[in-house]
Amino acid sequence: MEESPVKILTIESSCDETAAAIVNERREVLAAVVASQIGIHERFGGVVPEIASRAHQERILPVLSEVFLQSGLTPRDLDAVAVVNTPGLAGSLLVGLSAAKALALAAELPLIAINHLQAHIYACRVAYKEELFPCLGLIVSGGHSSLYRCQGPIDFTPLGTTIDDAAGEAFDKVAAMLSLPYPGGPAISRLAEQGNPKAFAFPRPMLDDPDRLQFSFSGLKTAVRYAITGPGRRECQDVDLSTQQRADLAASFQEAVVDTLVGKTLHALKKTSLSTVCIGGGVAANKRFRDKMTAAALRHNFRLFIAPMNLCTDNAIMGAIALERYKAGLFESLSLDILPGLVRD
Ligand code: KG4
Ligand code: ZN
């Protein structure tokens, strides 16, 4: 009789999505569920950590029930349970980790730890079914803007990260200045379609030095604020902007972020001599970013994989990276802990 393929349950609760999926060793998705908390955090203009962890507590069991229902499997049909334990919000990570440990104990399953950032890059491996490594990894999300040399799926060396705001965070904050809803990325992107990306000459932060692979979006955010308010001390919301001015601000800001991300990627390719780029994270869903990065790949002749739209923002399918640890025999004990901060290994 043919042996049934390895099946792993993956759990993601690092920020504001409660997600679970079941994948098999061929990286096929047998079930996947994401319960978003956008509706809860919207009115605060960003994720409120305490509210996020409470919402994860309410959602984790229904989300798990749903993946078992969708797949027609029970915990005893699984070969392992995997969970994101780093990086993320402490209270949020704890909810997923506790659920994973309970399942591992009850169904006598091995426990696997997932690094959320490595998983964002692995979304490309799941989607494109091609060998990606070694590659340059770019993660652009609400919490991270980072470049990595990725020797393998679980072997990353950091090359540069943000010294202040992440790219997605800048999108969210500029959106708030323009009275757009949270999350700001999709709203800015829609508004920018009607705007002129050259209307405002915003800075492309730290792009002049090819050896510096760090990002910084805080100054750009302040430049947008001053473009709206002028030199006075007014609040952005008190300034009367025309529809065209708002669209021009959105388009010019977006262009500055996109140019910076593309420019830094080119610097990193030169520095590392890598020829493949893999990109994941919520900001990678941005259309202008995808278009300009694709054009850069053609011009500079590198292989480019950007996670498909549905796998850019947080999800558990990218947790298929657990298969790599399963194959390598990298299992955790039930004393596995969360590591909320970035691990620099
Ligand atoms: O990866 P993600 O779901 O969560 C984190 O791990 O942070 O990313 C969320 C971020 C938010 O800041 C959101 O504004 C941004 O991704 N985002 C976008 C777009 N869609 C989501 N930014 C720019 N353009 C988009 N289309
Ligand atoms: Zn993420």
Side-chain angles (χ1 to χ4, degrees), residues 116 120 141 314 318:
H116 180 76
H120 266 306
S141 70
D314 290 348
M318 65 192 193

Side-chain angles (χ1 to χ4, degrees), residues 92-114:
S92 294
L93 288 167
L94 276 173
V95 177
L97 182 62
S98 308
K101 284 184 182 177
L103 257 171
L105 186 64
E108 296 180 45
L109 294 167
L111 181 65
I112 298 175
I114 296 173

Side-chain angles (χ1 to χ4, degrees), residues 161-164 203-217 260 263-264 267:
T161 187
T162 178
I163 58 169
D164 42 57
R204 274 62 175 156
M206 302 205 304
L207 207 52
D208 44 350
D209 181 354
D211 282 328
R212 280 193 87 186
L213 297 179
Q214 283 94 348
F215 296 93
S216 163
F217 291 107
T260 306
K264 288 273 176 190
H267 288 334

Side-chain angles (χ1 to χ4, degrees), residues 191 194-196 199-200 241-250:
L191 183 59
Q194 318 303 325
N196 172 6
F200 294 88
L241 295 170
S242 70
T243 310
Q244 192 55 50
Q245 279 172 322
R246 294 175 80 244
D248 287 347
L249 282 160

Side-chain angles (χ1 to χ4, degrees), residues 243-286:
T243 310
Q244 192 55 50
Q245 279 172 322
R246 294 175 80 244
D248 287 347
L249 282 160
S252 303
F253 161 74
Q254 175 176 266
E255 201 72 0
V257 176
V258 169
D259 285 351
T260 306
L261 295 174
V262 173
K264 288 273 176 190
T265 302
L266 294 177
H267 288 334
L269 277 171
K270 206 157 185 189
K271 205 168 169 178
T272 58
S273 302
L274 290 162
S275 54
T276 301
V277 176
C278 293
I279 307 179
V283 178
N286 184 276

Side-chain angles (χ1 to χ4, degrees), residues 12 14-15 116-117 120 139 141-144 281-282 312-315 318:
E12 154 69 51
S14 64
C15 188
H116 180 76
L117 301 179
H120 266 306
I139 296 149
S141 70
H144 306 278
C312 282
T313 46
D314 290 348
N315 65 86
M318 65 192 193

Side-chain angles (χ1 to χ4, degrees), residues 15-16 37 40-56 89 92 182:
C15 188
D16 61 340
Q37 299 180 11
I40 302 178
H41 301 287
E42 210 172 11
R43 69 193 140 113
F44 303 105
V47 178
V48 184
E50 177 60 20
I51 296 176
S53 54
R54 286 177 194 220
H56 282 303
L89 301 171
S92 294
Y182 172 84

